[in-house]
Amino acid sequence: MMHAKGALLVLLGSMMTPASEAFAPTPLFTTRSSVSSPLKHSPVSKTTDLKMVAGGAQQAYGEEMYDGVRIGPPPDLPSLLLHNRIVYIGMPLVPAVTELVIAELLYLNYEDTNKPITMYINSSGTTTPDGQSVGFETEAFAIADVMKYVRPPVCTVAVGQAFGAAAMLLAQGKRGKRFALPNATILLNQPRSMARGQATDIAIKAREVAANRRKTCELLATACGKSLSTVEQDCQRVKYLQPHEAVSYGLVDKVFVNESTLPVKPSFISQL
């Protein structure tokens, strides 16, 4: 009788086990190392090894490979440039541009104090191409001060245009590492005053503009190896300089002809 009761209990226990497991909690997410594609021998794998060179897009979505070729969102171009120690100024010098450029210079300074920084300049300075004032010369002064403050040498390259305050930044690069592309245009001019209101306010603004003009000319004179009076006279009116003329003026050191003359060859192209 005892043996019959024991066998009955064992049988009931084995029958209740699947029912209890049916109510067990199931995981919300399943982890897979690879997902099989409908095509045979063409698995789509997803790796979690993130590389800084691919920027924010890869960090957000991961890297997917299909038949050995990377697929997914395009790379984050600003991160690619920053990873290769390249700073690009492609807008007028408004506060938002100044904030970004200074932040990038400081980041690269604390990342590595020896590797050079390459700054590409394609900017109309503190004015629009048609001459309308959009920023203050203090924006350019802030960038110029940080270029001298950071320890890595800053190489400057003129691309397209470097007008006014942007030309001054071009000249602030390390001596011997200031370049211009063959079709770049460099312009020297003086700050514009857009002061309005009462006569006293206009006079105060005029004195500030004159002080900024003198400071810009002093920075240019020091960088170009010319006297202050010569630079001030050249900046009284608009003065256009072609790349070879900028070399003669002392504003840049060399004109780029091809990629082999770059001061630092970017490495992100070969890693895409």
Side-chain angles (χ1 to χ4, degrees):
M1 186 69 178
M2 294 297 293
H3 293 289
K5 290 184 178 180
L8 180 61
L9 290 176
V10 172
L11 178 62
L12 290 176
S14 61
M15 294 176 62
M16 292 181 64
T17 301
S20 61
E21 290 180 353
F23 296 96
T26 57
L28 295 178
F29 302 98
T30 59
T31 303
R32 294 184 179 180
S33 58
S34 63
V35 180
S36 299
S37 174
L39 300 177
K40 190 175 182 181
H41 304 299
S42 299
V44 179
S45 62
K46 190 170 184 179
T47 61
T48 57
D49 184 17
L50 303 182
K51 298 179 181 179
M52 182 178 178
V53 69
Q58 180 179 350
Q59 294 182 9
Y61 301 101
E63 183 179 15
E64 295 183 354
M65 304 295 295
Y66 182 82
D67 283 345
V69 179
R70 188 182 70 85
I71 61 175
D76 184 5
L77 292 181
S79 297
L80 286 175
L81 296 177
L82 187 63
H83 177 70
N84 288 271
R85 305 184 69 80
I86 295 176
V87 177
Y88 177 61
I89 303 177
M91 295 178 61
L93 299 178
V94 295
V97 174
T98 303
E99 178 183 3
L100 177 61
V101 171
I102 291 178
E104 291 179 340
L105 289 174
L106 292 177
Y107 169 78
L108 294 175
N109 175 55
Y110 291 109
E111 184 186 47
D112 195 311
T113 58
N114 296 319
K115 292 182 180 179
I117 301 172
T118 305
M119 178 183 291
Y120 289 87
I121 300 175
N122 182 21
S123 173
S124 58
T126 56
T127 61
T128 59
D130 59 358
Q132 182 180 0
S133 179
V134 294
F136 299 100
E137 280 65 34
T138 51
E139 307 293 339
F141 296 157
I143 297 177
D145 287 342
V146 175
M147 290 172 64
K148 300 297 184 182
Y149 168 76
V150 297
R151 292 184 179 180
V154 180
C155 310
T156 53
V157 183
V159 182
Q161 61 181 359
F163 292 174
M168 183 270 292
L169 292 180
L170 176 64
Q172 298 306 304
K174 182 176 177 58
R175 187 68 63 89
K177 297 294 184 180
R178 304 170 301 176
F179 307 96
L181 294 185
N183 296 315
T185 302
I186 301 167
L187 172 68
L188 300 181
N189 61 7
Q190 57 181 331
R192 289 177 174 268
S193 175
M194 304 297 291
R196 296 180 179 179
Q198 299 179 355
T200 303
D201 296 333
I202 294 176
I204 294 174
K205 181 61 178 178
R207 287 196 296 269
E208 179 65 17
V209 171
N212 290 339
R213 174 180 177 272
R214 182 175 180 84
K215 176 57 66 177
T216 301
C217 292
E218 289 176 353
L219 292 173
L220 281 171
T222 302
C224 298
K226 293 185 175 296
S227 63
L228 178 60
S229 59
T230 301
V231 176
E232 286 182 339
Q233 184 177 1
D234 292 336
C235 291
Q236 286 181 358
R237 291 292 181 266
V238 173
K239 184 179 181 65
Y240 286 94
L241 296 173
Q242 296 304 313
H244 65 279
E245 296 174 336
V247 173
S248 301
Y249 197 82
L251 203 145
V252 297
D253 302 303
K254 189 177 181 180
V255 179
F256 280 162
V257 178
N258 50 43
E259 187 180 355
S260 62
T261 57
L262 288 174
V264 180
K265 189 173 182 179
S267 60
F268 65 88
I269 297 294
S270 61
Q271 300 186 32
L272 290 178

